[in-house]
Amino acid sequence: MKRFIFVFTIVITLALSEGNAQENGIRFNNKPWSEILTMAKKENKLIFLDAYASWCGPCKWMAANMFTNDTVADFYNKTFICASFDMEKGEGIQLRRQYEVRAYPTLLFIDGDGNMIHRKVGAERKAIAYVNIGNTALDPQKCLSSYIRKYESGNYPEDYLPVYLQALTDAYLPVESVLQKYFASASGDQIYDQESWNIINRFVTDMNSPLFAFVVKNRAEYVKRYSQDTVFMKISTVYVNGLLRSSRDIHFTDSSYRALQEKIRQTGYEEADKVFFYSDLSLYQFRGEKDKFLELAYEKMDKFYHDDYNMLNNIAWSVQQMTNDKKYLDKALSWAKRSIALQNEPFNNDTYAIIQLKLGNKEEAIKYEKIALQLARKKNESASVYEDTLKKMMQP
């Protein structure tokens, strides 16, 4: 990749679909839900329910590129009763509640009695992935409902829990109750052992969960076993994500956001200020408050991310996009230079070159854009963007 996107967001990469588009694609049934259930029961088929929202970009892309693909459409039309509902309108509202749809797109597979058999969240990039999802739904040993039944029976092997938690995560279903049950049965130092830490590191994501509070309170014990960098990275990630979710909530207020930060500070977490710096930068960028973003980055970037080449490059890039002010561009240039010194990559040389050009240093800009191009070729990465940039820089 040329560079990472700084703003925290759930990103689903879009790509061209495989194969040729079928004229009609998946044939979605427009009948009421009760009639669709009756059809499924009569034909002894599962219902494939595309649970979408009208504003969801990945949903639109998936409908235009994947649901029109020959391979996908042929398989789904032959195998399932297909339905598509906007989860924020009409019957979709009740279906959203009934099937606990929390993210879009959600692909649901439901039997004629209305029981959820399988589900998958997200827009996959390849046509074969949708065939695989459908086949998983048809497999009584691999569908999500089989995992749930096995867990609820209590009859499963010791290594089953991570598999089950991953299945729930892929379906965007809550895992907190499963985690609480597992750790409630842990004895002695078992809660600190490698297996427990692996589960915590992969699946504990809610900053308000009792288990996460336990990790924060006992972080010194985890640090002894798994290093400060590893443990603090986990804690910081959960806190940052919690703050960013809060900042994007429809009921967001500055006071509630700052209260949440104060709650974090009260834990005594050593890297709280670094967490707040990152979340504040993202908040200002998300809200288009460029002046606040620029000043905060200028004041505190060196303090918190002096040795993080990705973050140095990301913020340098964001700054040059936001302003022509020499004060900030000079600072951004220093971050890009430091990023290169830490790890010489095509993308940070490109950032450095573009900032030099904005500062009027054309020769230096061309020099470093050539370096970016050479590195990209050497690493067998796509070099077209650097070639195009270099051509523009060399124009009179």
Side-chain angles (χ1 to χ4, degrees):
M1 291 178 63
K2 181 170 181 268
R3 60 178 55 83
F4 297 97
I5 297 174
F6 170 66
V7 177
F8 174 86
T9 183
I10 299 174
V11 179
I12 300 177
T13 305
L14 305 185
L16 293 176
S17 63
E18 300 171 337
N20 298 317
Q22 179 173 294
E23 183 179 351
N24 296 320
I26 294 179
R27 294 189 292 274
F28 289 105
N29 198 299
N30 294 320
K31 293 183 179 180
W33 181 244
S34 60
E35 293 185 28
I36 292 172
L37 288 171
T38 300
M39 289 176 61
K41 205 162 189 176
K42 182 179 179 180
E43 297 182 30
N44 194 28
K45 289 182 177 181
L46 291 180
I47 299 164
F48 163 58
L49 172 57
D50 168 33
Y52 73 94
S54 60
W55 48 262
C56 169
C59 301
K60 295 175 183 177
W61 175 86
M62 184 174 64
N65 294 281
M66 292 290 101
F67 292 167
T68 57
N69 178 277
D70 279 346
T71 302
V72 176
D74 288 345
F75 175 71
Y76 277 74
N77 287 334
K78 291 175 183 176
T79 311
F80 304 108
I81 303 296
C82 300
S84 183
F85 282 81
D86 186 333
M87 294 289 103
E88 297 180 347
K89 296 178 181 178
E91 283 193 283
I93 297 172
Q94 178 57 38
L95 291 172
R96 184 187 74 218
R97 294 169 182 158
Q98 181 177 351
Y99 296 109
E100 300 180 274
V101 176
R102 296 181 174 86
Y104 304 106
T106 293
L107 310 181
L108 289 163
F109 296 85
I110 298 163
D111 69 17
D113 292 319
N115 300 309
M116 187 278 295
I117 303 301
H118 190 63
R119 63 189 283 156
K120 182 73 171 65
V121 173
E124 296 288 343
R125 294 179 293 170
K126 296 183 178 181
I128 191 61
Y130 294 84
V131 176
N132 291 339
I133 292 167
N135 280 324
T136 299
L138 295 169
D139 190 328
Q141 303 301 317
K142 295 181 179 179
C143 62
L144 180 62
S145 59
S146 71
Y147 282 103
I148 294 173
R149 285 194 301 272
K150 180 178 283 190
Y151 174 76
E152 291 179 345
S153 74
N155 183 25
Y156 51 83
E158 290 183 2
D159 60 354
Y160 177 75
L161 189 65
V163 176
Y164 179 55
L165 286 167
Q166 188 61 59
L168 292 177
T169 301
D170 289 343
Y172 216 75
L173 289 173
V175 299
E176 186 65 25
S177 63
V178 179
L179 290 169
Q180 288 295 332
K181 182 178 179 180
Y182 172 79
F183 284 100
S185 65
S187 59
D189 284 348
Q190 186 181 356
I191 198 167
Y192 299 113
D193 67 18
Q194 185 69 61
E195 181 183 0
S196 294
W197 171 249
N198 289 342
I199 289 174
I200 289 168
N201 208 17
R202 287 177 63 186
F203 301 112
V204 175
T205 59
D206 183 0
M207 65 173 283
N208 295 311
S209 78
L211 182 54
F212 179 68
F214 177 89
V215 173
V216 174
K217 183 178 179 180
N218 297 278
R219 58 190 178 277
E221 289 298 319
Y222 287 102
V223 166
K224 288 178 184 177
R225 294 163 171 79
Y226 309 110
S227 84
Q228 180 169 303
D229 285 348
T230 299
V231 176
F232 280 17
M233 174 61 76
K234 174 60 184 179
I235 294 172
S236 292
T237 299
V238 173
Y239 276 144
V240 166
N241 288 346
L243 286 165
L244 295 179
R245 279 193 291 270
S246 168
S247 70
R248 284 145 180 76
D249 190 275
I250 191 171
H251 302 298
F252 170 83
T253 62
D254 284 319
S255 60
S256 64
Y257 176 74
R258 297 304 172 191
L260 192 56
Q261 288 187 330
E262 183 58 27
K263 180 181 177 181
I264 294 170
R265 190 180 297 283
Q266 291 300 318
T267 66
Y269 180 49
E270 294 84 347
E271 294 196 351
D273 286 335
K274 185 176 181 179
V275 167
F276 303 157
F277 170 71
Y278 187 97
S279 65
D280 284 351
L281 277 182
S282 183
L283 173 64
Y284 296 150
Q285 191 172 33
F286 177 73
R287 294 170 65 174
E289 297 176 329
K290 295 181 181 179
D291 291 343
K292 290 183 179 180
F293 180 98
L294 292 169
E295 197 56 34
L296 180 60
Y298 185 88
E299 290 179 358
K300 296 185 177 180
M301 183 67 192
D302 290 316
K303 176 181 178 181
F304 293 118
Y305 287 99
H306 182 67
D307 293 321
D308 186 327
Y309 79 96
N310 269 324
M311 190 69 167
L312 287 164
N313 177 74
N314 292 344
I315 302 303
W317 180 259
S318 294
V319 168
Q320 69 83 23
Q321 286 186 310
M322 290 182 183
T323 186
N324 293 316
D325 189 317
K326 188 175 185 301
K327 168 187 170 181
Y328 298 117
L329 289 177
D330 282 342
K331 181 62 79 171
L333 189 70
S334 73
W335 296 331
K337 185 176 182 179
R338 173 67 177 164
S339 177
I340 293 168
L342 291 169
Q343 186 154 326
N344 197 20
E345 295 286 349
F347 59 79
N348 50 22
N349 279 275
D350 173 62
T351 299
Y352 187 82
I354 289 174
I355 297 172
Q356 286 282 22
L357 189 66
K358 291 194 76 169
L359 287 167
N361 305 321
K362 186 173 182 177
E363 288 186 8
E364 282 294 289
I366 291 172
K367 173 185 173 181
Y368 278 88
E369 198 62 36
K370 285 181 178 179
I371 294 173
L373 179 57
Q374 292 167 358
L375 284 172
R377 289 172 174 169
K378 186 177 180 180
K379 292 171 177 281
N380 293 318
E381 297 178 2
S382 175
S384 60
V385 66
Y386 307 121
E387 291 171 350
D388 292 343
T389 302
L390 183 59
K391 287 178 183 177
K392 291 177 183 177
M393 285 181 173
M394 296 182 73
Q395 289 175 356

